[in-house]
Amino acid sequence: MTNALLRERLIRVRIALTADALRVEVTDPRGERLPEPRAAEGGDQFGRGLLLVGALADRWWCELCDVGKTVCAEWRVPARRAARGVVCHLAMDTKGRLEWR
């Protein structure tokens, strides 16, 4: 997500809570390169995002779209705490403006 924002690309963030999982999806219109975790050196400014996602989420993956790609991360939630069908959409434009849908 940071790379998309730094390069002034539009992104879409979708957060969904289902019966057994919390899912966060970040969609970016650039799909020519799929994300890969990489080892950042101590002084590197970038390169830790997917390492953090991989360490914190129960699972993550990338899906190609008609335009761009979507990176998804999921966390399992206890069934008694989940509310089926709760979905929030958060869109951010290149000027950093957020819009809930």
Side-chain angles (χ1 to χ4, degrees):
M1 187 162 88
T2 301
N3 287 339
L5 294 174
L6 289 174
R7 289 171 177 77
E8 298 184 356
R9 293 194 310 258
L10 299 176
I11 62 166
R12 183 190 67 149
V13 177
R14 179 177 181 267
I15 303 167
L17 182 61
T18 65
D20 59 356
L22 171 68
R23 179 183 293 179
V24 177
E25 301 173 355
V26 178
T27 302
D28 168 355
R30 303 277 306 264
E32 64 275 2
R33 263 189 6 184
L34 296 180
E36 293 181 26
R38 59 182 181 165
E41 299 296 324
D44 289 349
Q45 185 176 0
F46 304 104
R48 294 175 180 85
L50 285 177
L51 292 174
L52 289 170
V53 170
L56 298 172
D58 290 314
R59 68 185 190 121
W60 76 271
W61 66 97
C62 183
E63 299 173 348
L64 288 176
C65 306
D66 290 337
V67 175
K69 64 185 173 292
T70 299
V71 177
C72 306
E74 251 183 19
W75 292 263
R76 288 186 300 276
V77 296
R80 67 180 181 276
R81 292 187 174 198
R84 183 178 297 275
V86 176
V87 177
C88 300
H89 294 274
L90 177 64
M92 180 180 292
D93 65 17
T94 60
K95 295 181 181 167
R97 296 179 297 220
L98 297 175
E99 179 183 313
W100 289 99
R101 297 179 186 164

